């Protein structure tokens, strides 16, 4: 037990729906869909959300807040706010497939093209920051944007303070390939030509958003990944209260691997090496399932061995788009998640 366990226990007692007569573990009666929390950032989280919203009506995204590039970086530097970009992408991914949802998804993703200060800013970033300034509450503001968009789920930041990502990188300077340097900033870490050894966030031990912790504790399933491994996936494990919740939750945990190594950040990584670096950053974390595309795993035995260290089974499924791009197909990924939710773990109250 950690020193933060009593607080987690209080949050668990405060989560809605627990202990209802005739209800299941999370207070839902038969016929309800599973409560799912997805953690990540950027395009990887968006892919997961686009799939998960097809199979559950009870979906929460917990999003990294370390982005310092592009429109998000400019707004963060100028106004001192959380970087809104990954939060915007998550909201767009939760928009429905009807005309309303798709129109708003395009609107908030639209970027201005000009010769002035608006160039490169996304409409959704400006909308989110405006509501933050109006309401003074990042969670309330994101909930309001979600209502406007008709988002099929909730989006939460993992921390209420903007974070800086720092990484130890071997060979960041190609002229000194054996030297290890500290590289600062998510955008720089993501594009380093060197080998990322470890990452940390500044400030260290940042506070988690209480609603994010409560969502993890009250979930039936927690999905981590896919996404940029060091800059979108692992940062969630560097927020102590969030990590404690991930370790202590009664939910089942599935790790969704990327379709291919990311140039720079994870260049040359095998699927099992992704698990090895995850274990170094969160040695107490247990998993139930590791999901990978069957065509992206050349050594299935080594991946199975790496998964066993987390207590996890490996599920291989075709989840990539058929055009050959290293992107997930939302329908195929949804089918894989649905099969995992049905076949692994406890019989949930939604069945």
């Amino acid at each position: 037990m950690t020193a933060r366990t009593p607080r987690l226990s209080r949050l668990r007692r405060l989560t809605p729906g627990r202990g209802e007569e005739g209800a299941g573990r999370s207070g839902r009666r038969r016929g309800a869909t599973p409560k799912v929390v997805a953690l990540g950032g950027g395009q990887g989280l968006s892919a997961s959300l686009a799939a998960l919203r097809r199979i559950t009506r009870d979906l929460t995204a917990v999003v990294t807040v370390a982005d310092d590039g592009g429109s998000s970086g400019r707004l963060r530097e100028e106004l001192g706010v959380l970087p809104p970009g990954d939060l915007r992408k998550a909201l767009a991914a939760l928009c429905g497939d009807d005309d309303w949802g798709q129109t708003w998804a395009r609107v908030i993703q639209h970027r201005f093209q000009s010769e002035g200060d608006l160039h490169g800013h996304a409409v959704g970033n400006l909308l989110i920051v405006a509501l933050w300034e109006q309401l003074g509450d990042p969670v309330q503001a994101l909930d309001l944007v979600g209502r406007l968009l008709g988002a099929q789920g909730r989006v939460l930041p993992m921390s209420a303070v903007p974070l800086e990502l720092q990484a130890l990188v071997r060979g960041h300077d190609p002229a000194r390939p054996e030297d290890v340097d500290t590289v600062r900033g998510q955008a720089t870490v993501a594009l380093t030509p060197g080998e990322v050894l470890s990452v940390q966030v500044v400030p260290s031990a940042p506070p988690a958003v209480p609603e994010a912790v409560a969502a993890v504790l009250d979930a039936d399933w927690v999905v981590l990944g896919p996404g940029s491994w060091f800059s979108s996936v692992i940062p969630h494990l560097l927020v102590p209260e969030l990590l404690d919740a991930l370790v202590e939750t009664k939910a089942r945990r599935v790790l969704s691997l990327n379709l291919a190594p990311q140039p720079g950040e994870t260049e040359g990584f095998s699927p099992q090496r992704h698990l090895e670096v995850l274990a170094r950053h969160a040695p107490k974390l247990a998993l139930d399932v590791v999901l990978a595309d069957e065509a992206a795993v050349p050594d299935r035995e080594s991946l199975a061995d790496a998964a066993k260290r987390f207590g996890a089974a490996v599920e291989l499924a075709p989840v990539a788009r058929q055009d050959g791009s290293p992107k997930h197909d939302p329908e195929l990924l949804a089918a894989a998640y649905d099969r995992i939710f049905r076949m692994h773990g406890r019989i949930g109250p939604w069945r």
Side-chain angles (χ1 to χ4, degrees), residues 2-20:
T2 68
R4 289 174 291 275
T5 299
R7 179 176 179 180
L8 293 181
S9 298
R10 290 195 297 273
L11 280 169
R12 187 178 285 112
R13 290 197 298 271
L14 291 173
T15 50
R18 291 188 177 273
E20 284 185 37

Side-chain angles (χ1 to χ4, degrees), residues 76-305:
R76 172 178 175 166
E77 182 177 0
E78 183 174 345
L79 301 174
V81 295
L82 294 173
D86 285 349
L87 297 161
R88 180 199 81 243
K89 292 174 186 175
L91 285 163
L94 290 174
C95 286
D97 294 322
D98 57 356
D99 288 343
W100 180 273
Q102 290 306 294
T103 297
W104 274 110
R106 290 192 298 270
V107 168
I108 65 170
Q109 295 283 53
H110 175 77
R111 291 186 184 272
F112 294 103
Q113 302 295 321
S114 73
E115 300 296 326
D117 291 340
L118 272 178
H119 179 73
H121 276 304
V123 171
N125 288 357
L126 301 178
L127 175 62
I128 291 169
V129 172
L131 282 168
W132 282 343
E133 291 193 343
Q134 288 284 317
L135 300 177
D137 182 335
V139 171
Q140 183 183 359
L142 289 167
D143 285 343
L144 188 58
V145 177
R147 287 169 54 195
L148 172 66
L149 305 181
Q152 298 173 16
R154 192 182 195 193
V155 174
L156 299 170
M158 69 178 186
S159 178
V161 298
L163 305 177
E164 179 188 71
L165 194 69
Q166 293 186 359
L168 292 178
V169 181
R170 179 185 290 118
H172 179 67
D173 182 352
R176 299 180 290 109
E178 297 303 319
D179 287 1
V180 176
D181 296 310
T182 298
V183 177
R184 294 176 172 82
Q186 185 184 49
T188 305
V189 171
L191 296 175
T192 180
E195 177 190 1
V196 180
L197 304 177
S198 65
V199 290
Q200 62 181 19
V201 292
V202 177
S204 61
V209 167
E211 292 86 348
V213 174
V216 170
L217 291 173
D218 195 43
D220 295 304
W221 280 92
V222 174
V223 177
L224 185 62
S228 299
W229 216 244
F230 286 104
S231 52
S232 292
V233 176
I234 290 177
H236 290 82
L237 309 178
L238 306 179
V239 179
E241 291 170 331
L242 191 54
L243 176 59
D244 284 350
L246 288 167
V247 169
E248 297 181 21
T249 182
K250 302 299 184 184
R252 294 282 169 154
R253 289 154 287 209
V254 55
L255 178 71
S256 187
L257 292 177
N258 295 332
L259 297 172
Q262 181 176 344
E265 189 171 318
T266 55
E267 186 74 40
F269 273 35
S270 64
Q272 55 268 25
R273 189 171 178 190
H274 284 77
L275 292 180
E276 291 164 2
V277 298
L278 193 76
R280 288 205 302 268
H281 286 84
K284 294 182 180 179
L285 180 67
L287 300 170
D288 295 280
V289 180
V290 174
L291 171 63
D293 184 81
E294 56 188 6
V297 182
D299 186 347
R300 298 186 180 189
E301 184 176 349
S302 294
L303 178 59
D305 288 342

Side-chain angles (χ1 to χ4, degrees), residues 45-57:
L45 177 61
S46 295
S48 203
L49 295 175
L52 288 165
R53 69 175 173 82
R54 287 165 162 79
I55 59 175
T56 181
R57 298 187 301 274

Side-chain angles (χ1 to χ4, degrees), residues 259 293 295 317-330 332-333:
L259 297 172
D293 184 81
V319 294
R321 292 185 183 178
Q322 299 303 303
D323 60 7
S325 64
K327 296 181 180 179
H328 288 83
D329 180 282
L332 292 175
L333 187 58

